[in-house]
Amino acid sequence: MRIFIANGYYDLATPYYATRYTLNHMSLDASLHGNVENGYYESGHMMHVHAKELFQLKSDVSSFFEEEPLGQKPIYIHRKRRYSPIYSTM
């Protein structure tokens, strides 16, 4: 599984450093650290209301979904008239 976490530097509801703290204390196996990607934005909780940050967020999320994980083959599932890649090690 891969995870993308978007954080706003000025987010008082879910502080960006709390995400790092949580991930660092999960006892996650070292081989899985590469599956977690973080995006940091000069905004608060709703980064999508700032045009500059919205464009950066879209770019980061698009890149995340276009990137094929190493050693995994995509499996396509049908959701709401759109095919989404789901990756599996099968």
Side-chain angles (χ1 to χ4, degrees):
M1 178 187 303
R2 292 174 58 231
I3 299 171
F4 179 81
I5 303 167
N7 294 104
Y9 286 120
Y10 310 110
D11 185 348
L12 299 178
T14 53
Y16 84 95
Y17 197 76
T19 303
R20 291 180 63 192
Y21 179 87
T22 301
L23 290 171
N24 288 337
H25 289 83
M26 286 180 61
S27 300
L28 197 60
D29 188 72
S31 66
L32 298 175
H33 285 247
N35 294 356
V36 180
E37 293 184 35
N38 293 292
Y40 297 101
Y41 306 94
E42 291 284 334
S43 64
H45 190 71
M46 299 189 309
M47 60 206 63
H48 57 278
V49 300
H50 302 283
K52 179 183 169 195
E53 302 306 316
L54 174 62
F55 291 125
Q56 185 62 51
L57 175 64
K58 185 198 184 298
S59 174
D60 292 346
V61 171
S62 294
S63 296
F64 177 79
F65 280 111
E66 290 170 3
E67 189 177 297
E68 186 170 318
L70 295 174
Q72 297 184 353
K73 300 177 198 173
I75 299 172
Y76 290 90
I77 60 171
H78 184 67
R79 286 192 189 143
K80 297 182 183 176
R81 292 183 266 158
R82 192 172 162 209
Y83 287 95
S84 302
I86 301 295
Y87 292 92
S88 171
T89 55
M90 298 170 33

